Amino acid sequence: MTRAIIIGAPRSGSGKTSVTIGILRALARRGIKVRGAKSGPDYIDPGFHTAATGLSGVNLDSWAMSPALLNALAGSAADEAEFIFLESAMGLFDGIPSAQGRTGSAADLARLYGLPVLLVLDVSGQSTTAAAVAKGFATYDPDVPMAGVVLNRLGSERHRRLCGDAIEAIGLPVVGAIMRDPSLNLPERHLGLVQAGEYENLMAHLDRLADMVESSLDLDAIMALAKPFSPAPGDFGDALQPPGQRIALAEDAAFTFLYPHVAAYWRKAGAEIVSFSPLADEAPAGDCDVCWLPGGYPELHAGRLAAATNFRAGTARFAKAKPVHGECGGFMVLGETLEDASGETHAMLGLLGHSTSFAKRKMNLGYREARLRADCPLGARGAAIRGHEFHYAQMLATGNDEPLADLADGLGNPLGASGYRRGNVSGTFFHAIAKG
């Protein structure tokens, strides 16, 4: 029987990602089959979960995924693991106003699956007040039980006693106490953590986190807090269908943001993914049925992409006969030009008429629902697709292409037309997660 627990916190930046990765790596080193999961639309943390455990990470998103798809993904994750540690996005209860159980918060998953929460508290700048925070979490929602507390960023042994004794006095066990150590922090950039695949010494850093967890947390007690995890039967009817039998997928440091569950289902449905690297000046294979340019960091590699003549010519040749779709960063590369952070303008594929800039930054963030205006690799005309938008780039020029979809935010408020399409080419800043 698989057992699971949610790792939550009051807010982003509390240290729950480092705690989660450390626990995953420590248990994997013990030979335990352990898997990481992430609530909400996060690309980066599942990569660390996968590296730490050897088992693919998974997103479980109660807003973007129908209950049937959510259960199917959760059940698949449980099939191959003894333990699942489900890391919360942002704060534990943070989501959007929506139907009951569909807010996108990790608390939804706690209620749905009857899972307890391991609460990570950053106690820097406080002492016994930490007990008031913990009590608030313990009493806020009786259907989201707090099983234990990990104290993070402690300054001294006295600090640990003040916080820990106060929390245990209200009936919550303290199962970990981590001293302040900035060297354990994971480096960040504008869209979150630097990705797992960009570390030259990734496993050494993961092992340092595991060593920290072994010395600072009671792992046996934490495993004992986990509860049996047996999701109700589900199905993949609302999963994004493979856009072709053979999918040419751009995959390198500039193109990395494809949700693990999307690629896993494409393979499950019988499709073959054929990776290629635009940064290595590779083009999509001509015998593929569709080309997919996922999001990532093209703004950091715009000069190399502009100089990749084989990639540029080969993708243009592919697009004459077969579909090419780009999401977020991939959408930026499909346009005429991309202005990098220094203000230098680089020629992109020119398969769509828009131009984007990373020099003039403005954050766009939130859940989105797209209603497709035409058939494209995301689905058929009229289909509703749920997903997410998170980027700092802005549009410099819109071009004259046809809109791809009508967009609404997570509350259903119309946001207008989104993305573009021209011939076989389509793209949008919107990242697709599942059918609506």
Side-chain angles (χ1 to χ4, degrees):
M1 169 66 74
T2 303
R3 299 173 69 84
I5 192 168
I6 291 174
I7 299 182
R11 58 175 175 80
S12 296
S14 298
K16 63 182 180 295
T17 296
S18 293
V19 170
T20 302
I21 295 170
I23 290 173
L24 292 173
R25 182 62 187 153
L27 295 184
R29 292 194 312 194
R30 293 184 180 186
I32 296 171
K33 289 185 177 180
V34 59
R35 186 188 296 276
K38 179 78 178 188
S39 74
D42 184 296
Y43 297 98
I44 297 174
D45 290 351
F48 285 98
H49 298 170
T50 300
T53 66
L55 294 178
S56 176
V58 65
N59 295 83
L60 299 175
D61 191 312
S62 65
W63 183 85
M65 297 170 179
S66 68
L69 178 58
L70 197 64
N71 286 337
L73 289 168
S76 294
D79 283 344
E80 302 175 17
E82 298 171 68
F83 284 91
I84 292 177
F85 287 82
L86 202 166
E87 181 188 348
S88 164
M90 301 190 298
L92 178 68
F93 294 96
D94 293 334
I96 63 171
S98 191
Q100 186 174 4
R102 298 293 304 271
T103 72
S105 72
D108 284 351
L109 303 175
R111 299 183 196 99
L112 177 63
Y113 298 123
L115 297 181
V117 175
L118 179 64
L119 185 64
V120 178
L121 293 180
D122 176 356
V123 295
S124 56
Q126 62 181 206
S127 58
T128 53
T129 298
V133 176
K135 185 168 184 177
F137 272 80
T139 59
Y140 181 72
D141 185 340
D143 293 326
V144 184
M146 301 299 116
V149 175
V150 171
L151 304 175
N152 194 26
R153 301 188 180 120
L154 290 160
S156 65
E157 177 60 26
R158 179 175 179 272
H159 191 194
R160 184 200 65 77
R161 289 197 305 272
L162 287 170
C163 297
D165 291 352
I167 289 171
E168 293 199 325
I170 65 170
L172 276 176
V174 175
V175 293
I178 303 169
M179 293 298 170
R180 194 177 301 128
D181 184 355
S183 71
L184 292 172
N185 293 343
L186 296 162
E188 299 186 20
R189 64 160 64 101
H190 52 278
L191 296 182
L193 296 177
V194 171
Q195 301 166 96
E198 296 181 71
Y199 282 79
E200 291 184 5
N201 57 345
L202 174 62
M203 295 313 297
H205 191 78
L206 297 184
D207 282 329
R208 286 191 63 224
L209 290 174
D211 292 342
M212 174 273 291
V213 159
E214 290 277 12
S215 63
S216 305
L217 276 61
D218 187 339
L219 285 174
D220 292 329
I222 290 170
M223 286 190 288
L225 293 174
K227 297 295 185 184
F229 183 55
S230 53
D235 63 69
F236 289 92
D238 292 320
L240 293 177
Q241 297 303 304
Q245 180 63 38
R246 282 172 57 83
I247 303 164
L249 176 68
E251 195 169 19
D252 56 27
F255 300 93
T256 56
F257 293 163
L258 184 67
Y259 289 110
H261 73 273
V262 171
Y265 178 71
W266 287 350
R267 291 188 177 99
K268 180 182 177 72
E272 181 183 0
I273 296 177
V274 181
S275 298
F276 70 100
S277 170
L279 289 179
D281 201 12
E282 296 173 354
D287 60 355
C288 286
D289 304 307
V290 61
C291 175
W292 191 282
L293 304 177
Y297 293 101
E299 64 271 17
L300 302 181
H301 307 278
R304 287 179 63 189
L305 291 171
T309 54
N310 183 56
F311 162 63
R312 290 160 57 85
T315 307
R317 187 166 53 247
F318 190 99
K320 289 180 179 179
K322 299 173 183 179
V324 176
H325 182 74
E327 287 191 330
C328 201
F331 172 60
M332 294 163 67
V333 172
L334 285 173
E336 291 285 348
T337 62
L338 193 167
E339 184 181 26
D340 65 20
S342 68
E344 184 175 354
T345 297
H346 304 271
M348 292 290 105
L349 291 172
L351 298 178
L352 294 173
H354 63 283
S355 293
T356 54
S357 172
F358 189 68
K360 303 172 178 64
R361 300 191 214 181
K362 180 181 179 182
M363 186 172 74
N364 292 270
L365 172 67
Y367 282 124
R368 302 286 186 260
E369 183 168 89
R371 182 76 60 175
L372 300 178
R373 291 194 180 188
D375 294 352
C376 73
L378 289 176
R381 177 182 178 181
I385 307 293
R386 286 196 168 192
H388 188 253
E389 194 170 349
F390 184 17
H391 61 91
Y392 286 87
Q394 292 197 76
M395 202 78 74
L396 286 180
T398 57
N400 298 306
D401 299 313
E402 292 293 319
L404 177 64
D406 294 302
L407 209 62
D409 66 15
L411 304 180
N413 299 311
L415 298 175
S418 173
Y420 299 110
R421 57 189 172 90
R422 181 201 298 173
N424 292 316
V425 181
S426 59
T428 173
F429 274 123
F430 164 84
H431 295 275
I433 295 176
K435 294 179 186 177

